[in-house]
């Protein structure tokens, strides 16, 4: 789980991209490996050069946890699902919140979702 921690580590440009429905990633200039977090060396080839890469924030649900009893400070937001989604274009996995999910029937694995914003909880998702 990462709630407030995620927000603190998210960069303004990442948040702006999320609000536009996109994911800002770092692409290795040598091998093309995509990294979500800021890294100093490519985890695949060791290259130190990166360029910004905007990924479309659409994909499918891989797994999730339903939060009916949320952490302190998030009480008014429950129930919601903390979702891990796999992006269509890159296969990159990213996590975010999907509001108003209270039981598994609301969200079958494989449901198509998209990024719609970023708030105090982190990335906000909705069903496509
Ligand atoms: Zn590389």
């Amino acid at each position: 789980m990462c709630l407030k921690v995620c927000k603190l580590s998210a960069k303004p440009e990442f948040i702006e991209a999320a609000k536009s429905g996109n994911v800002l990633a770092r692409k290795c200039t040598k091998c093309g490996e995509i990294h979500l977090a800021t890294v100093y060396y490519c985890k695949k080839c060791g290259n130190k050069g990166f360029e910004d890469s905007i990924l479309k924030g659409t994909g499918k649900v891989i797994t999730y946890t339903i939060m009916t009893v949320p952490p302190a400070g998030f009480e008014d937001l429950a129930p919601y699902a903390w979702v891990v989604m796999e992006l269509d274009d890159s296969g990159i996995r990213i996590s975010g919140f999907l509001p108003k999910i209270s039981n598994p029937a609301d969200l079958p694995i494989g449901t198509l979702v998209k990024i719609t914003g970023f708030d105090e909880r982190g990335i906000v998702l909705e069903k496509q």
Side-chain angles (χ1 to χ4, degrees):
M1 294 299 296
C2 72
L3 295 162
K4 290 174 179 176
V5 179
C6 270
K7 189 200 172 194
L8 290 174
S9 62
K11 297 191 164 180
E13 55 267 35
F14 181 88
I15 294 171
E16 283 311 305
K19 286 179 176 173
S20 302
N22 296 312
V23 176
L24 177 64
R26 302 286 286 160
K27 185 178 178 184
C28 175
T29 54
K30 192 172 174 187
C31 75
E33 181 79 358
I34 300 282
H35 301 74
L36 265 187
T38 299
V39 289
Y40 298 99
Y41 296 90
C42 174
K43 65 187 176 190
K44 193 169 176 187
C45 75
N47 179 41
K48 288 191 222 173
F50 297 94
E51 60 187 11
D52 285 346
S53 179
I54 297 289
L55 309 174
K56 200 171 166 215
T58 57
K60 62 176 188 280
V61 173
I62 299 298
T63 186
Y64 62 89
T65 303
I66 292 174
M67 306 295 293
T68 50
V69 182
F74 293 83
E75 291 87 350
D76 56 334
L77 300 169
Y80 58 80
W82 174 247
V83 174
V84 176
M85 70 181 285
E86 184 176 286
L87 298 178
D88 287 333
D89 296 340
S90 56
I92 290 276
R93 292 184 179 192
I94 193 166
S95 46
F97 290 86
L98 189 57
K100 300 187 181 74
I101 300 295
S102 55
N103 72 71
D106 293 335
L107 192 67
I109 297 297
T111 297
L112 298 179
V113 293
K114 62 182 176 184
I115 294 172
T116 60
F118 194 101
D119 67 14
E120 68 274 14
R121 296 165 291 176
I123 287 175
V124 182
L125 306 173
E126 70 179 38
K127 292 182 190 176
Q128 291 189 43

